[in-house]
Amino acid sequence: MTQEHRADAAGQPRPEPSPYDGLDAPALRALLAERDRALADMAAAHDAFLHAVSHDLRAPLRHIVSFGPLVRELVEDEAQGLPADAREEACSFLGTMDQASRRMGRMLDGLLALSRIARAPLHWAPVDLNELLAGMPSALAGAAPGRSVEWRIAPGLPTVAGDAALLGQLFTELLGNALKFTRDRAPAVVEIDGGVDEDGSARLTVRDNGTGFDPARAGMLFGVFQRLHRDADFDGMGVGLAKARAIMQRHRGRIGIDAVPGEGCTVVLAWPAGGARLPGI
């Protein structure tokens, strides 16, 4: 059917008919049962994935990391008759192999953390963001030892409905990033403000005066293992923002990011209308 045939008398397009129109109660119950079975199958597949990441995929990595030093001892033993330059080259290869193996282990840790966020039961409660964030500077002090960090946490931040543990993890990731990318600033400045809009939606903004990045590439940062900086400049696996997005999605919210190269980064969190109160209340 053409779009013209779907238009009403005023020329406005009419909504497509729902696939559920005309279904009686038994048919709807059968459809729900089928979808419940599909969800159960997906959950079982997810559990199998978690088991593979936690156990099966780690076994070969443990062997590589464990046997690498033994091979290095053999290579470095002059009694093996290898020339010095060959020994040096072989040790370099072994070092690269060890670094790559350990990196893959951290990547598996990141995937496992993302999977746990997706499956974690949500314990809904009112979460006072001022109270939650008050302890973050001391909790993250170990990430910036000896540095001058100026925290500017605005009063009057909203209280949102959510899971306090997951939201704590969210801010650990975001503020940890802010500290990492401001390590060359003296002082580093991390600003947090927010509020509740007239429609009841809650918002919160995290700004820093760090290294920033090309804003045209902002969208890719929420993908898994996506990074804009070299390992030599800033460590990390490119999983933190993916975890932050997953947590906001669990709370029916949104997360966005913007930056100016050399001037800092801004992360914006938004909860839907009604996100400042408990669901169903």
Side-chain angles (χ1 to χ4, degrees):
M1 182 178 292
T2 65
Q3 181 65 41
E4 288 76 16
H5 290 156
R6 291 196 301 268
D8 60 20
Q12 297 298 319
R14 292 179 302 201
E16 294 287 347
S18 169
Y20 307 111
D21 289 347
L23 292 180
D24 56 15
L28 287 172
R29 285 195 293 268
L31 180 61
L32 288 173
E34 179 182 347
R35 296 201 171 182
D36 285 344
R37 286 192 295 271
L39 286 174
D41 290 343
M42 291 174 61
H46 189 272
D47 289 340
F49 167 77
L50 287 181
H51 184 274
V53 171
S54 300
H55 303 284
D56 301 340
L57 295 181
R58 293 191 185 279
L61 280 179
R62 285 195 296 269
H63 292 156
I64 295 171
V65 172
S66 299
F67 284 98
L70 300 178
V71 176
R72 181 185 291 273
E73 289 181 11
L74 293 174
V75 169
E76 291 178 340
D77 188 349
E78 294 184 13
Q80 300 298 322
L82 289 175
D85 57 346
R87 291 200 304 272
E88 182 177 350
E89 185 177 30
C91 288
S92 175
F93 293 156
L94 287 169
T96 299
M97 182 183 72
D98 181 72
Q99 291 176 10
S101 300
R102 295 181 186 278
R103 179 176 179 82
M104 185 174 180
R106 294 193 295 272
M107 293 171 79
L108 291 176
D109 289 339
L111 288 176
L112 187 59
L114 277 171
S115 297
R116 286 172 174 161
I117 288 171
R119 289 294 304 279
L122 289 179
H123 302 288
W124 290 97
V127 180
D128 183 333
L129 294 184
N130 273 114
E131 183 177 335
L132 180 66
L133 288 163
M136 285 291 172
S138 58
L140 293 171
R147 288 174 49 192
S148 174
V149 180
E150 184 178 334
W151 294 90
R152 301 175 183 174
I153 302 177
L157 297 180
T159 293
V160 299
D163 183 287
L166 278 182
L167 290 177
Q169 186 177 351
L170 166 72
F171 289 112
T172 296
E173 297 292 347
L174 296 182
L175 300 182
N177 269 355
L179 290 178
K180 174 165 56 176
F181 293 111
T182 57
R183 70 182 186 190
D184 296 327
R185 301 294 191 261
V189 178
V190 181
E191 301 179 77
I192 304 170
D193 60 30
V196 178
D197 296 330
E198 291 183 1
D199 63 356
S201 59
R203 55 182 167 71
L204 189 137
T205 302
V206 178
R207 300 184 185 87
D208 65 60
N209 65 335
T211 188
F213 57 83
D214 179 0
R217 304 176 66 188
M220 66 175 287
L221 286 176
F222 294 104
V224 184
F225 307 137
Q226 298 298 314
R227 306 188 64 218
L228 298 182
H229 303 279
R230 299 181 308 160
D231 289 348
D233 296 329
F234 297 99
D235 60 357
M237 299 307 302
V239 181
L241 285 177
K243 290 193 284 186
R245 181 179 65 172
I247 292 171
M248 285 304 293
Q249 288 174 337
R250 293 295 312 274
H251 288 80
R252 311 184 204 114
R254 293 176 290 106
I255 181 171
I257 190 168
D258 197 8
V260 176
E263 295 185 19
C265 173
T266 301
V267 177
V268 179
L269 306 174
W271 285 262
R277 63 175 186 270
L278 281 172
I281 298 178

